[in-house]
Amino acid sequence: MYKSNEIEVILWSIAIPGFGQILNKKYIKGILLITSEFLINMNSHLNTAIISSFYGEISTSINQINYQWLMFYPCIYMFAIWDAYKDSVKKPQSFSFFSYVLGAYFGTVGVIYSKTFRFMGILIGPIWLPLVFILIGLVMGSIIKKALIFYLNKKGG
């Protein structure tokens, strides 16, 4: 029987939260995550804002987005990726959740500041800024994970 690997479930979860859970045969969890994703996506007007952002119409995307709903998206998104990964491996690496958690936290902060944050005078907006902040959170989480593992190995050895 075919068994999904962690890269496959991560990539499908990046495409749509919940798809990785379906691959892992966690059907109820997958359907709940897909439903949550669509609910948040539709109520936040995320797809409309994505289109505007890709055309460089950042002010339009800011006006289109419902921030009260968009605030939920980074956490659902990163949780779905983490959960799919966790269920696809026999034993997750120690502290591997840090990258996903910090990605969610930083992504939410990116949503909060996306109306006003400018980089070199350029308004980044509600699509690109959270994505950049998610990447920063992933990197910081990876650094913290490695530091914790190093510290615990040094302390124990």
Side-chain angles (χ1 to χ4, degrees):
M1 186 188 323
Y2 179 76
K3 169 92 168 102
S4 303
N5 67 43
E6 64 260 24
I7 301 297
E8 181 180 11
V9 297
I10 286 171
L11 291 175
W12 277 112
S13 292
I14 289 170
I16 295 212
F19 278 12
Q21 285 73 14
I22 300 293
L23 282 173
N24 286 334
K25 298 180 178 20
K26 307 285 182 166
Y27 300 112
I28 294 172
K29 197 185 318 183
I31 290 168
L32 283 171
L33 284 166
I34 292 168
T35 302
S36 297
E37 196 280 336
F38 275 98
L39 181 68
I40 294 166
N41 188 310
M42 297 301 291
N43 284 300
S44 69
H45 310 287
L46 183 58
N47 286 347
T48 308
I50 288 172
I51 292 168
S52 297
S53 291
F54 269 74
Y55 280 112
E57 300 166 355
I58 302 302
S59 294
T60 302
S61 69
I62 288 170
N63 292 328
Q64 291 168 327
I65 215 78
N66 180 326
Y67 283 90
Q68 295 301 313
W69 279 95
L70 188 62
M71 293 283 291
F72 292 108
Y73 201 82
C75 290
I76 292 290
Y77 192 74
M78 295 308 295
F79 174 78
I81 296 168
W82 156 249
D83 183 71
Y85 160 75
K86 174 183 60 75
D87 286 345
S88 70
V89 295
K90 288 185 177 127
K91 184 178 181 224
Q93 291 180 348
S94 298
F95 306 110
S96 59
F97 62 90
F98 267 108
S99 295
Y100 300 92
V101 169
L102 287 183
Y105 293 164
F106 275 69
T108 303
V109 171
V111 169
I112 293 167
Y113 286 104
S114 66
K115 282 184 181 181
T116 58
F117 185 89
R118 293 177 182 272
F119 181 73
M120 296 179 19
I122 299 170
L123 187 61
I124 309 299
I127 305 306
W128 300 115
L129 189 64
L131 285 173
V132 169
F133 275 41
I134 283 172
L135 291 174
I136 292 169
L138 289 170
V139 169
M140 288 186 67
S142 180
I143 291 168
I144 291 170
K145 175 186 87 169
K146 288 177 183 175
L148 282 169
I149 290 170
F150 177 79
Y151 172 74
L152 292 174
N153 285 338
K154 192 172 182 178
K155 184 178 177 184

